[in-house]
Amino acid sequence: NYQGRGPHRLELACGTDSQHGQGAAALAPRVHLPRRTPIHSAPHDVVPCRPGRAARHDCRRRGLGAWRGMWDVRAELGELLAAVRPTVLAFTRTEVWPALTSAAVAGGVPTVLCAATLSPGARRRRPLARRILGPTFASLSEVLAISAADAERFLELGVTQDRIGVTGDPSVDSAWTRVRAADPQASYLRPFAAHPAPILVAGSTWRSDEAVLIPTLASLGARLGRAALTTVLAPHEPTPRHLERLERELCRAGLVVQRLADVERRGAVEAGTVVVVDRVGVLAPLYTVGAVAYVGGGFHGAGLHSVIEPAAAGLPVVFGPRHTAARAAGGARGARRKLQCHPSVVRSAHGRPN
């Protein structure tokens, strides 16, 4: 669909991390690129490559195209770049595609790694990985690191000092913007206004999280009274099949369940209900109605989800013990408002819910 489009528009093709839903981070480079880049004054489109579900929703909401992409094969990606004719090819965080980068360099397209991060234990720092990926990183036009320590580590991969800048983490700005943009009068938020019970918002949960949360919620309800706590439960993948399974498990545990669509239709939610979120794109605003947040992903090996959004909403954040790869969670260790949920804590909660 981009073939034949005139050069008067600036197209920014973003290779996004489909596993972690970097939709917002993929859109952030147009704001966070250095001022010398003529990206601020030109109209632009964004073409996210292989975005996840959240990124595709964000693109639809903004009226942007979302390309579901192909494998990192230079011949095919060269055709894509010839059709899109991007002004800049931007990657986010850790995601750099060697063939796509090579095709962009051959076509004279500047390549930028935005919100760049390279952890101390990253496999890309190992000798074999440096030998294989070094030429790709060395060919990048610019690396915009989230911290000075990350910037230093990119030197090991062959990026020269003059091509590295430290811009901070745009996901923090994105989270703050999304939370501040929440409309309390939105039809799905208004029912929670002046709610009589504290609200736990559990975001981006997986089955491993739900296996911990459901019996704990049932135990707390039995000991403190069902109306003592209302829960908003937003599974990471709200597919019909997953929602139905989740509702069955909640009902088997004796919990009262409603979907967010039903709450929205009725305009009210009863205290003590577990509200299951049946859509994507509303989690950040939902954090604004909570008293405490649980962030999923800390009870399996695929990675903890973002703790920045609930923190931006001013909530204390609870998550599972497997969070070492999550920079924001690790950085919160010294903060007073961070709670880490170990399996032993969960077991004691069954016996002493306070």
Side-chain angles (χ1 to χ4, degrees), residues 84-341:
V84 176
R85 289 182 290 165
T87 302
V88 176
L89 174 66
F91 297 102
T92 61
R93 301 192 71 82
T94 63
E95 184 116 349
V96 177
W97 300 2
L100 181 55
T101 302
S102 177
V105 171
V109 179
T111 54
V112 182
L113 178 59
C114 305
T117 179
L118 189 62
S119 66
R123 293 181 180 179
R124 285 169 293 167
R125 300 184 68 198
R126 297 176 182 177
L128 180 60
R130 288 206 307 267
R131 177 171 295 187
I132 295 172
L133 297 175
T136 298
F137 280 93
S139 69
L140 293 172
S141 306
E142 196 150 15
V143 172
L144 307 179
I146 67 174
S147 72
D150 287 275
E152 287 293 326
R153 288 189 281 269
F154 275 104
L155 292 172
E156 302 173 9
L157 297 183
V159 185
T160 57
Q161 185 72 60
D162 62 313
R163 295 187 178 188
I164 300 177
V166 179
T167 59
D169 191 345
S171 66
V172 175
D173 305 84
S174 299
W176 177 248
T177 300
R178 287 193 297 275
V179 169
R180 290 195 66 184
D183 178 10
Q185 296 305 310
S187 58
Y188 64 91
L189 294 179
R190 193 168 54 246
F192 297 99
H195 191 68
I199 299 173
L200 164 68
V201 181
S204 298
T205 61
W206 295 86
R207 292 193 69 167
S208 55
D209 299 292
E210 292 150 12
V212 173
L213 281 170
I214 292 174
T216 302
L217 292 174
S219 176
L220 290 173
R223 291 176 175 270
L224 302 179
R226 188 176 67 82
L229 179 69
T230 298
T231 303
V232 176
L233 181 55
H236 180 69
E237 291 286 346
T239 61
R241 183 178 179 181
H242 182 74
L243 292 175
E244 291 168 5
R245 180 198 58 77
L246 179 57
E247 287 171 327
R248 286 195 302 270
E249 293 183 0
L250 289 165
C251 290
R252 276 200 296 266
L255 297 165
V256 177
V257 185
Q258 275 188 296
R259 290 199 184 187
L260 183 60
D262 298 327
V263 170
E264 195 171 8
R265 244 186 328 266
R266 293 180 54 194
V269 58
E270 184 181 351
T273 302
V274 178
V275 179
V276 176
V277 179
D278 49 10
R279 69 198 74 166
V280 297
V282 297
L283 181 55
L286 283 169
Y287 280 129
T288 64
V289 304
V292 63
Y294 173 88
V295 174
F299 282 98
H300 68 182
L304 182 70
H305 291 281
S306 174
V307 301
I308 297 175
E309 283 184 346
L315 303 187
V317 184
V318 183
F319 46 83
R322 304 183 71 173
H323 60 78
T324 53
R327 177 185 299 269
R333 288 186 183 208
R336 293 182 178 181
R337 302 191 72 185
K338 186 273 296 184
L339 300 173
Q340 177 180 336
C341 185

Side-chain angles (χ1 to χ4, degrees), residues 56-69:
R56 293 197 299 274
H57 172 82
D58 200 25
C59 289
R60 285 194 297 270
R61 183 173 60 83
R62 296 168 184 258
L64 302 171
W67 176 63
R68 295 199 65 168

